[in-house]
């Protein structure tokens, strides 16, 4: 069965080709049905393979063909199925399928729906390449492929200049990260002459190639720069909030559940490399923590329902990198999984709200929606509870594990991370209360239109809500259970750096502390939103509402100077300098030729005179330089 | 014998075109298809006895022979030439131009010259074809070009003619070092180059390098190029950018580095620095262009900079990647020009700020534009990626102590490339239609065929690059 794993990306590819080539003539409903069906088949296959791996099937390489073969460089186009990739396959195809189903209803009125499903299938195909590749180059193909799809889907409504700007920004910022990835690959190739995971990690583990620690640090940092771009970490995170310009199911699938977690996958996959460089791990921990805090502060003061969720995603990704930085790769993967469920749920829930509100995204105009849309309300609440970290919902277990690994590392990390977690609870419940409880603050027309979404949209919400509730049990903390099923499952593929064993009492105390404080935060959020009054923000609140002015800072420090410098190169150096010089030479030649022309004046006397002078000159010179 | 046909057919069909008057465009297209078939045959059988080298006495007094040979690299470039010319002749079939017989005749003469450049294994013959390829282009630019065609062609002519003379004098000097028969043959030239004393080698090296650098073009010898690309008819721009610049790279690979390996090694860091500066320089300038043809021109300078840097990095991988990239760059930039030609014809301007909305008015063209643009910025699974990846890896593995800096700075081009290419796509394809032109015509059949052929290469070689990788290595 595992040998058939290449079929998993094949089906979305077929879906893409049919919808993509038939974009003119494909009926709208058929497009959505076909795309979802392809996802369902892939999900079925992923499930079968997952259970086979879980039952103990060995790591498998599935070679397809030689992609690049030049001298000593051989890069096969091959897939690798092991515990890590099979888990990601399940998340991608599973959540992917639900979001495809959701989209059939959400997008059914859009004129570009066939194109939409083509892109969505292409995205899943690329994402599958990313996690299934057996070497870094195949990962890179998927990596850039998901970037392309993200670009196409952010700018899906291409008539809007702001949306296409957001799409461009996303691609360019990702490219900056990709440069890091590329240099990382070059370094690996240079030092190990292979990009295949198996051979590379075997070389490192068996010390066949002995390298200085700093080489590992460079490789690790370069790959992490790639992850910064794709997984929206400081300083390359500003594209993700802008990416909310895309249709909401896209935000759920690409910009919350799957693509943005590619950076986590990459580092978990490379755990062997990262374990060689403690410096790189510290660096990652700090970047992740800062991102988690910064994004959480911004989320507190956003009024766009999707922007709150976007900053929340950035912040949660920061948590995952914090876990990685603490050497707990499997914990990060655990949080990828639970986050995929509850964040997809929250985004799809927000989509349901936006749908009902006729496109309105400002939570200041919402309120009291719970009465009209019960399923959306309850599932959204489950999502909020899960992300806030209330037991026994999924987010509690994964977040608790991150906090515990931070604590084992340093209490300072723990306190800072806990602070970010508390902010998470606050802004999520602020969002929930402002949206679903209280009185409706929009127009009468909007109120008249409010309705629960159709079954194709509520069905994914319900499934995801169930997953967000129960999925935490695969990773019960030591206090409650001796078996951490996820860690046991992943341990063949991922090696954590250092192992933390915490006193059970300490662990219980920390849990109690965080749950207690989170509850206080929820109460605070309720109190603050009970009778909302939206006055213009001042002071720090205004800075937060304006996202710490980071975009303005980038524009002032990078973008504008670069454009001005380019203009200078074009107008002054290129046209006046180099081209001016060349034209000057040309003009000089013409000028000289003009003068020379006068010498040929047609008078034989003048010619004779010149000739005589010439002969005399030669004669004189000959006299002086006899040996000439 | 096939090699001779590869030259003779475009030459003869070119002559026929001169006489064919109104039928010239069909005659030329027919002839280019025969050349295509022949070049496919050469590529398929190169390295076997079917494609044996040919050699005839030509000017024995000065040691020049009429000798042709095709290894993998030459066959690949002939194949590229064979593919590009039918595409050139397919677009703009509906456009009325003055004196079509001369126009199409000159185009085919230039094709004959190009084939000769790639096949010649005699220095004088190489020079002869070099000029044969260029001279028709001067006439094509100065007669059928844009408003500023005369000064621009003059500049182009001066630049390349200075280069040609430097090359000719260097080649003659080299041939004089061998006192024997066939002084001009590649073998003898190579032997002569290696035997030169160091000082002379450096001197000859620079004569040849500047000649080839102008052709590629390499910063700072490039300023003829944006003007020429902008002013030439787009069909001629395609020939210039897809094929003629490859003459420069090819010459470096065949007539410069193997002839003077020590000098090439000696100057490699300087040349790599120039080339890589050129990548960043041209990319930055491309960012502020609003003329779509100039943007593509500067983008091409950046790409050629990378290729030249790789040529001098001295690693097998970058050499191999370079040969692959020559083909892929030729396909991609042709595809880019075909699209540029379509939008220019439809919007009546080269200023892309006055375009917009193509994705709603002519979605087919917009889709092609997006795919080709991503190939242009080397997205994986398009053909642009394979070559670039090998070039970067090769540069990274070069023996220079600055190899990491070279690679990292060169790779800035992939970020800047994304910036200017996507800005262009955004202005042309997305947003509202700013042109004031209500109906933008969809692709016609001939354009569609051209685009489909090019897209097939872009995707096909992006997914399965190995056949091309194997072809270029055939001895």
């Amino acid at each position: 069965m595992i040998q058939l794993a290449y079929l998993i990306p094949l089906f979305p590819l077929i879906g893409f080709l049919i919808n993509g080539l038939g974009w003119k003539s494909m009926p709208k409903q058929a497009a959505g049905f076909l795309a979802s069906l392809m996802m369902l088949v892939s999900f079925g296959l992923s499930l079968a393979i997952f259970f086979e791996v879980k039952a103990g099937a060995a790591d498998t390489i599935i070679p397809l063909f030689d992609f690049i073969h030049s001298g000593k460089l051989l890069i096969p186009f091959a897939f690798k199925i092991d515990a890590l990739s099979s888990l990601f396959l399940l998340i991608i195809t599973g959540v992917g399928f639900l979001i495809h189903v959701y989209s059939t209803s959400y997008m059914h009125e859009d004129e570009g729906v066939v194109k939409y499903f083509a892109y969505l299938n292409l995205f899943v195909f690329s994402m599958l390449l990313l996690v299934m590749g057996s070497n870094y180059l195949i990962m890179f193909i998927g990596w850039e492929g998901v970037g392309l799809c993200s670009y196409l889907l952010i700018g899906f409504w291409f008539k809007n200049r702001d949306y296409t700007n957001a799409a461009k920004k996303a691609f360019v910022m990702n490219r900056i990260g990709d440069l890091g990835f590329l240099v990382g690959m070059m370094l690996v190739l240079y030092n190990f002459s292979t990009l295949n995971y198996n051979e590379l990690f075997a070389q490192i583990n068996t010390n066949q190639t002995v390298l200085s620690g700093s080489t590992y640090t460079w490789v690790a940092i370069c790959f992490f720069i790639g992850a910064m771009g794709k997984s929206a970490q400081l300083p390359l995170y500003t594209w993700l909030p802008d990416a909310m310009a895309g249709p909401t199911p896209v935000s759920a699938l690409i910009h919350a559940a799957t693509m943005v977690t590619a950076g986590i996958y990459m580092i978990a996959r490379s755990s062997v490399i990262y374990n060689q460089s403690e410096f790189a791990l510290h660096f990652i921990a700090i970047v992740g923590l800062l991102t988690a805090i910064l994004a959480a502060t911004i989320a507190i003061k956003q009024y766009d329902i999707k922007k709150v969720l976007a900053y929340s995603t950035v912040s949660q990704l920061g948590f995952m990198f914090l876990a990685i930085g603490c050497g707990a790769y499997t914990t990060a993967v655990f949080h990828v999984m639970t986050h995929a469920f509850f964040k997809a749920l929250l985004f799809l829930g927000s989509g349901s709200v936006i749908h009902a509100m006729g496109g309105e995204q400002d939570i200041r105009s919402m309120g009291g929606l719970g009465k009209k849309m019960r399923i959306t309300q309850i599932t959204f609440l489950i999502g909020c509870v899960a992300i806030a970290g209330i037991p026994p919902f999924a987010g509690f277990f994964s977040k608790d594990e991150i906090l515990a690994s931070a604590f084992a590392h340093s209490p300072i990390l723990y306190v800072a991370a806990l602070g970010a977690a508390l902010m998470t609870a606050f802004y999520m419940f602020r969002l929930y209360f402002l949206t679903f409880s209280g009185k409706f603050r929009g127009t009468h027309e909007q109120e008249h239109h409010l309705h629960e979404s159709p079954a194709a949209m509520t069905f994914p919400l319900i499934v995801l809500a169930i997953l967000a509730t129960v999925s935490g049990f695969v990773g019960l903390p030591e206090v409650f259970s001796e078996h951490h099923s996820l860690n046991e499952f992943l341990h063949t593929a991922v090696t954590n750096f250092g192992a933390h064993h915490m006193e059970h009492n300490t662990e219980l105390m920390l849990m109690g502390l965080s749950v207690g404080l989170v509850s206080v935060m929820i109460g605070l959020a309720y109190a603050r939103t009970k009778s909302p009054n939206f006055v213009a923000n001042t002071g720090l609140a205004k800075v937060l509402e304006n996202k710490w002015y980071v975009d303005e800072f980038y524009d002032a420090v990078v973008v504008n100077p670069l454009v001005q410098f380019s203009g200078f190169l074009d107008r002054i150096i290129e046209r006046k300098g180099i081209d001016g010089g060349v034209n000057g030479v040309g003009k000089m030649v013409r000028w000289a030729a003009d003068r020379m022309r006068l010498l040929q004046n047609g008078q034989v006397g003048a010619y004779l005179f010149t000739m005589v002078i010439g002969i005399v000159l030669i004669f004189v010179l000959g006299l002086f330089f006899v040996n000439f | 014998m096939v090699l001779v046909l590869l030259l003779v057919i475009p030459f003869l069909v070119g002559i026929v075109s001169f006489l064919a008057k109104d039928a010239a465009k069909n005659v030329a297209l027919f002839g280019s298809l025969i050349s295509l078939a022949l070049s496919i045959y050469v590529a398929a059988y190169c390295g076997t006895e079917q494609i044996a080298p040919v050699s005839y006495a030509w000017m024995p007094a000065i040691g020049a022979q009429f000798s042709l040979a095709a290894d993998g690299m030459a066959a690949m470039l002939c194949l590229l030439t064979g593919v590009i010319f039918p595409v050139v002749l397919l677009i703009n079939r509906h456009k009325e131009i003055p004196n079509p017989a001369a126009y199409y005749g000159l185009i085919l003469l230039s094709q004959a010259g190009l084939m000769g450049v790639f096949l010649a294994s005699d220095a004088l013959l190489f020079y002869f074809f070099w000029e044969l390829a260029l001279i028709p282009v001067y006439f094509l630019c100065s007669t059928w070009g844009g408003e500023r065609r005369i000064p621009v062609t003059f500049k182009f002519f001066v630049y390349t003619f200075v280069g040609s003379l430097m090359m000719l004098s260097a080649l003659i000097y080299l041939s004089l070092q061998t006192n024997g028969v066939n002084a001009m043959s590649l073998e003898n030239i190579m032997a002569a180059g290696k035997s030169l004393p160091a000082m002379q080698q450096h001197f000859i090296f620079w004569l040849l390098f500047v000649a080839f650098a102008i052709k590629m073009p390499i910063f700072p010898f490039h300023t003829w190029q944006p003007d020429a690309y902008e002013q030439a008819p787009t069909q001629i721009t395609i020939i210039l950018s897809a094929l003629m610049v490859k003459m420069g790279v090819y010459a470096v690979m065949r007539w410069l580095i193997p002839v003077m390996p020590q000098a090439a090694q000696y100057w490699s860091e300087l040349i790599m620095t120039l080339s890589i500066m050129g990548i960043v320089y041209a990319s930055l300038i491309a960012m502020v262009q609003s003329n779509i043809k100039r943007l593509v021109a500067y983008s091409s300078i950046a790409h050629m900079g990378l290729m030249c840097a790789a040529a001098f990095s001295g690693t097998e991988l970058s050499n191999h990647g370079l040969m692959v990239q020559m083909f892929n760059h030729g396909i991609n930039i042709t595809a880019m020009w075909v699209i540029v030609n379509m939008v220019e014809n439809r919007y009546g301007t080269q200023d892309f700020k006055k375009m917009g909305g193509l994705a709603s008015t002519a979605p087919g063209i917009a889709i092609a534009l997006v795919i080709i643009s991503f190939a242009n910025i080397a997205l994986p699974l398009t053909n642009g990626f394979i070559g670039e990846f090998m070039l970067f890896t090769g540069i990274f593995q070069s023996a220079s102590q600055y190899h990491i800096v070279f690679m990292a700075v060169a790779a800035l081009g992939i970020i800047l490339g994304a910036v200017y290419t996507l800005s262009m796509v955004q202005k042309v394809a997305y947003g509202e239609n700013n042109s004031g032109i209500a109906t933008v015509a969809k692709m016609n059949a001939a354009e569609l065929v051209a685009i489909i052929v090019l897209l097939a290469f872009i995707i096909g070689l992006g997914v399965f690059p190995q056949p091309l990788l194997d072809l270029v290595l055939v001895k």
Side-chain angles (χ1 to χ4, degrees):
Chain A
M1 186 65 210
I2 288 187
Q3 288 299 334
L4 295 179
Y6 64 87
L7 293 174
I8 299 176
L10 184 67
F11 283 101
L13 180 65
I14 293 172
F16 160 70
L17 290 176
I18 295 177
N19 279 335
L21 295 174
W23 56 277
K24 270 187 199 160
S25 43
M26 196 78 183
K28 281 180 177 184
Q29 263 140 10
F33 177 77
L34 173 79
S36 309
L37 181 69
M38 293 296 139
M39 289 305 302
L40 185 62
V41 177
S42 285
F43 176 62
L45 288 164
S46 303
L47 210 56
I49 283 171
F50 175 79
F51 281 114
E52 219 167 309
V53 174
K54 196 163 183 334
D59 290 5
T60 313
I61 298 284
I62 303 153
L64 296 181
F65 55 90
D66 284 354
F67 185 51
I68 299 179
H69 187 188
S70 166
K72 281 182 291 179
L73 176 72
L74 172 60
I75 294 171
F77 205 109
F79 295 142
K80 176 180 166 79
I81 300 296
D82 67 349
L84 187 63
S85 54
S86 67
L87 180 67
F88 269 87
L89 286 183
L90 212 52
I91 297 171
I92 294 161
T93 55
V95 176
F97 168 66
L98 291 173
I99 290 172
H100 275 69
V101 171
Y102 181 96
S103 299
T104 55
S105 169
Y106 190 86
M107 297 295 289
H108 78 281
E109 280 174 359
D110 197 284
E111 56 179 336
V113 63
V114 181
K115 188 176 75 171
Y116 172 84
F117 278 106
Y119 291 167
L120 218 52
N121 266 189
L122 181 65
F123 167 76
V124 173
F125 167 73
S126 309
M127 192 69 209
L128 291 170
L129 281 192
L130 194 160
V131 298
M132 288 174 77
S134 75
N135 59 57
Y136 284 109
L137 196 72
I138 306 296
M139 189 199 277
F140 189 74
I141 293 174
W143 191 269
E144 291 246 297
V146 293
L148 166 73
C149 299
S150 168
Y151 167 84
L152 292 171
L153 284 161
I154 295 168
F156 182 73
W157 290 304
F158 57 82
K159 284 184 186 161
N160 186 319
R161 179 51 55 87
D162 289 341
Y163 292 4
T164 51
N165 277 339
K168 194 172 73 180
K169 181 174 172 185
F171 194 85
V172 170
M173 283 208 140
N174 270 292
R175 270 259 154 149
I176 298 174
D178 293 354
L179 179 57
F181 192 163
L182 199 63
V183 176
M185 278 200 289
M186 305 277 144
L187 276 166
V188 169
L189 261 183
Y190 186 72
N191 289 302
F192 299 95
S193 314
T194 181
L195 288 175
N196 294 342
Y197 304 139
N198 287 359
E199 290 150 38
L200 172 66
F201 300 153
Q203 277 189 44
I204 297 174
N205 283 332
T206 57
N207 289 325
Q208 275 173 18
T209 316
V210 180
L211 291 178
S212 64
S214 71
T215 309
Y216 286 116
T217 301
W218 278 113
V219 173
I221 297 280
C222 284
F223 280 152
F224 178 58
I225 291 173
M228 279 176 179
K230 193 71 52 200
S231 299
Q233 295 298 291
L234 269 174
L236 299 178
Y237 71 96
T238 57
W239 66 270
L240 183 59
D242 288 13
M244 297 300 122
T248 306
V250 169
S251 311
L253 178 62
I254 301 184
H255 304 118
T258 54
M259 182 186 87
V260 290
T261 61
I264 316 288
Y265 169 80
M266 172 211 250
I267 297 181
R269 175 56 84 200
S270 319
S271 62
V272 175
I273 297 174
Y274 281 83
N275 287 340
Q276 302 287 333
S277 172
E278 229 173 313
F279 175 83
L281 288 177
H282 288 312
F283 181 70
I284 294 172
I286 290 166
V287 170
L289 184 62
L290 287 178
T291 310
I293 295 171
L294 181 95
T297 56
I298 297 174
I300 289 175
K301 278 290 165 194
Q302 296 304 305
Y303 294 111
D304 181 322
I305 185 169
K306 286 182 73 181
K307 284 276 160 75
V308 177
L309 294 174
Y311 279 104
S312 159
T313 305
V314 175
S315 175
Q316 295 298 309
L317 290 165
F319 273 106
M320 297 174 204
F321 281 104
L322 173 64
I324 283 179
C326 296
Y329 311 105
T330 52
T331 305
V333 173
F334 185 20
H335 201 57
V336 165
M337 185 184 81
T338 59
H339 178 258
F341 297 143
F342 60 67
K343 191 52 71 63
L345 168 62
L346 289 167
F347 265 115
L348 294 186
S350 78
S352 176
V353 167
I354 295 166
H355 193 69
M357 295 285 295
E360 178 66 73
Q361 296 186 193
D362 193 326
I363 48 177
R364 284 173 292 199
S365 312
M366 296 178 186
L369 298 186
K371 284 163 236 144
K372 296 285 179 66
M373 7 187 8
R374 199 51 82 182
I375 302 175
T376 306
Q377 182 202 13
I378 292 171
T379 52
F380 199 91
L381 179 61
I382 291 173
C384 289
V385 174
I387 193 175
I390 300 281
F393 294 89
F396 168 74
F397 295 102
S398 53
K399 194 175 277 183
D400 181 67
E401 217 175 288
I402 295 174
L403 291 173
S405 61
F407 185 82
H409 229 69
S410 135
I412 301 171
L413 282 185
Y414 172 78
V415 171
L418 182 64
L422 296 181
M423 283 191 265
T424 309
F426 177 79
Y427 67 70
M428 284 312 302
F429 275 90
R430 166 182 173 267
L431 178 65
Y432 172 77
F433 290 130
L434 283 178
T435 309
F436 290 101
S437 56
K439 281 208 179 88
F440 188 72
R441 296 181 294 274
T443 61
H444 276 295
E445 205 184 334
Q446 282 174 326
E447 189 167 13
H448 185 69
H449 268 284
L450 285 179
H451 58 278
E452 182 58 278
S453 300
M457 283 165 70
T458 52
F459 164 71
L461 290 178
I462 293 167
V463 177
L464 286 168
I466 294 170
L467 289 168
T469 310
V470 302
S471 63
F473 290 102
V474 303
L476 287 179
E478 240 181 54
V479 190
F480 299 131
S481 154
E482 284 182 12
H483 294 286
H484 190 296
S485 347
L486 189 71
N487 283 358
E488 283 165 17
F489 176 65
L490 286 175
H491 85 279
T492 50
V494 183
T495 323
N496 281 349
F497 184 71
H500 312 298
H501 284 289
M502 212 185 285
E503 290 282 321
H504 284 185
N505 286 339
T506 323
E507 194 168 359
L508 280 175
M509 196 191 76
L510 293 181
M511 269 183 207
L513 181 70
S514 73
V515 173
L517 288 174
V518 161
S519 314
V520 172
M521 280 300 171
I522 295 174
L524 187 66
Y526 179 70
R528 292 288 296 270
T529 53
K530 203 167 177 201
S531 49
N533 106 48
F534 303 103
V535 287
N537 284 316
T538 53
L540 180 63
K542 193 178 172 201
V543 175
L544 294 182
E545 190 187 349
N546 287 299
K547 308 144 192 170
W548 291 101
Y549 297 101
V550 174
D551 276 317
E552 287 78 1
F553 175 75
Y554 286 172
D555 278 348
V557 174
V558 182
V559 180
N560 294 339
L562 198 65
V563 170
Q564 275 163 14
F565 180 61
S566 304
F568 166 77
L569 285 183
D570 184 31
R571 285 188 314 274
I572 308 297
I573 304 290
E574 177 80 354
R575 286 175 207 254
K576 298 244 165 72
I578 300 178
D579 208 25
V582 171
N583 288 337
V585 171
K587 272 183 197 149
M588 224 166 66
V589 171
R590 278 194 180 183
W591 179 85
D594 250 18
R595 296 290 164 281
M596 301 278 267
R597 193 172 53 109
L598 299 179
L599 293 177
Q600 297 194 5
N601 53 10
Q603 294 181 5
V604 180
Y607 291 159
L608 277 177
F609 179 68
T610 323
M611 200 171 88
V612 169
I613 289 188
I615 291 172
V616 170
L617 263 179
I618 291 172
F619 190 68
V620 172
L621 284 174
L623 269 182
F624 279 103
F625 306 99
V626 182
N627 298 327
F628 177 59
Chain B
M1 216 36 228
V2 189
L3 298 182
V4 179
L5 281 180
L6 217 43
L7 300 177
V8 168
I9 290 198
F11 188 79
L12 286 182
V13 178
I15 304 289
V16 173
S17 297
F18 272 114
L19 310 170
K21 290 184 183 154
D22 291 342
K25 93 178 144 187
N26 293 326
V27 172
L29 182 62
F30 181 69
S32 74
L33 288 174
I34 298 176
S35 296
L36 171 62
L38 279 173
S39 65
I40 291 174
Y41 178 82
V42 169
Y45 288 97
C46 98
T48 67
E49 282 169 12
Q50 269 98 328
I51 315 293
V54 288
S55 191
Y56 307 102
W58 186 30
M59 291 185 265
I62 54 170
Q65 278 179 303
F66 188 92
S67 58
L68 305 174
D71 62 357
M73 177 164 62
M76 173 273 291
L77 285 164
C78 288
L79 179 64
L80 182 65
T81 311
V83 173
I84 299 304
F85 272 84
V87 169
V88 165
L89 296 168
L90 269 175
I91 62 171
N92 283 353
R93 279 177 65 78
H94 57 286
K95 220 175 178 179
E96 290 290 325
I97 49 163
N99 198 357
Y103 183 76
Y104 290 106
L106 285 169
I107 286 182
L108 284 190
L109 285 188
S110 160
Q111 185 184 19
L114 275 162
M115 293 283 193
V117 166
F118 299 136
L119 293 173
S121 56
D122 178 279
L124 196 68
L125 194 63
F126 173 73
Y127 175 79
F128 173 78
F129 283 123
W130 181 282
E131 294 298 338
L132 179 64
L134 280 171
I135 290 167
V137 171
Y138 301 140
F139 286 112
L140 287 162
C141 290
S142 61
T143 314
W144 287 274
E147 279 169 20
R148 294 192 295 119
R149 62 182 180 270
I150 300 296
V152 163
T153 310
F154 180 70
K155 182 158 80 172
F156 170 48
F157 174 77
V158 170
Y159 254 113
T160 47
F161 194 68
V162 168
S164 297
L165 282 182
M166 290 166 80
M167 173 171 90
L168 181 64
S169 48
L171 290 176
I172 290 175
Y173 187 85
L174 283 170
S175 74
L176 291 178
Q177 307 304 308
T178 60
N179 47 356
V181 280
N182 306 336
M184 290 279 190
S185 75
L186 178 59
E187 273 175 21
N188 285 336
I189 294 278
M190 273 165 71
K194 281 176 193 144
S195 67
L196 279 184
M199 267 319 287
Q200 292 184 31
Q201 225 185 76
H202 293 319
F203 192 68
I204 299 294
F205 174 84
W206 278 101
L207 282 179
L208 287 174
F209 178 71
V210 171
F212 302 150
I214 289 172
K215 202 82 230 69
M216 281 193 255
I218 293 303
F219 172 84
F221 307 105
H222 65 279
T223 57
W224 62 270
Q225 194 240 38
D227 282 342
Y229 284 13
E230 181 191 338
Q231 291 297 317
T234 309
Q235 289 169 301
I236 309 310
T237 309
I238 293 178
I239 297 173
L240 274 171
S241 60
L243 299 167
M244 300 237 157
V245 299
K246 303 300 173 325
M247 287 169 30
V249 188
Y250 173 82
V252 165
M253 300 275 281
R254 176 135 298 161
W255 293 96
L256 182 58
I257 294 177
V259 172
M260 264 156 303
Q262 285 120 317
Q265 163 90 47
Y266 184 84
W267 294 106
S268 64
E269 282 184 354
L270 176 65
I271 291 173
M272 285 172 82
T273 309
L274 271 185
S275 311
I276 287 168
M277 268 176 66
I279 298 176
V280 177
Y281 177 83
S283 302
L284 286 174
I285 292 184
M287 266 171 45
V288 289
Q289 299 304 313
S290 59
N291 180 306
I292 192 166
K293 291 181 99 171
R294 291 187 80 85
L295 181 132
V296 179
Y298 280 106
S299 151
S300 178
I301 294 176
H303 284 129
M304 298 315 290
L306 178 63
M307 287 158 81
C308 183
F312 282 90
S313 71
T315 58
E316 254 174 63
L317 192 60
S318 53
N319 273 355
H320 196 185
L322 182 53
M323 293 191 271
V324 172
Q325 184 69 350
M326 276 199 251
F327 191 87
N328 288 333
H329 176 263
I331 295 289
N332 289 352
I333 196 153
T334 303
M336 201 55 147
W337 288 123
V338 170
I339 295 283
V340 166
N341 185 55
M342 285 185 208
V343 297
E344 189 190 344
N345 285 345
R346 283 162 177 77
Y347 287 109
T349 173
Q350 297 180 359
D351 183 349
F352 55 71
K353 285 185 179 148
K354 294 184 190 140
M355 298 178 186
L358 199 63
S360 20
T361 48
I365 301 179
I367 291 170
L369 170 67
V370 170
I371 299 175
I372 292 160
S373 297
F374 276 99
N376 193 44
I377 57 177
L379 195 83
L381 297 190
T382 65
N383 61 346
F385 174 68
I386 311 300
E388 254 187 37
F389 176 73
M390 291 170 73
L391 296 186
F392 282 131
T393 313
I395 291 173
F396 193 91
Q397 295 180 352
S398 80
S400 162
Q401 54 176 325
Y402 307 114
H403 63 120
I404 297 180
V405 181
F406 283 150
M407 187 267 158
V409 177
L412 286 180
I414 69 172
I415 298 173
L416 297 172
V419 175
Y420 63 73
T421 308
L422 295 185
S423 299
M424 185 269 283
V425 170
Q426 184 186 25
K427 303 250 167 56
V428 176
Y430 301 148
E432 301 289 344
N433 185 348
N434 298 329
S435 61
I437 291 162
T439 49
V440 179
K442 304 217 157 49
M443 271 189 257
N444 63 38
E447 288 170 333
L448 188 66
V449 170
I451 279 293
I452 285 177
V453 168
L454 295 168
L455 287 182
F457 274 108
I458 286 174
I459 305 293
L461 289 175
V463 180
F464 300 108
Q466 202 57 43
L468 180 61
L469 283 161
D470 291 337
L471 167 66
V472 296
L473 287 189
V474 172
K475 289 278 177 258

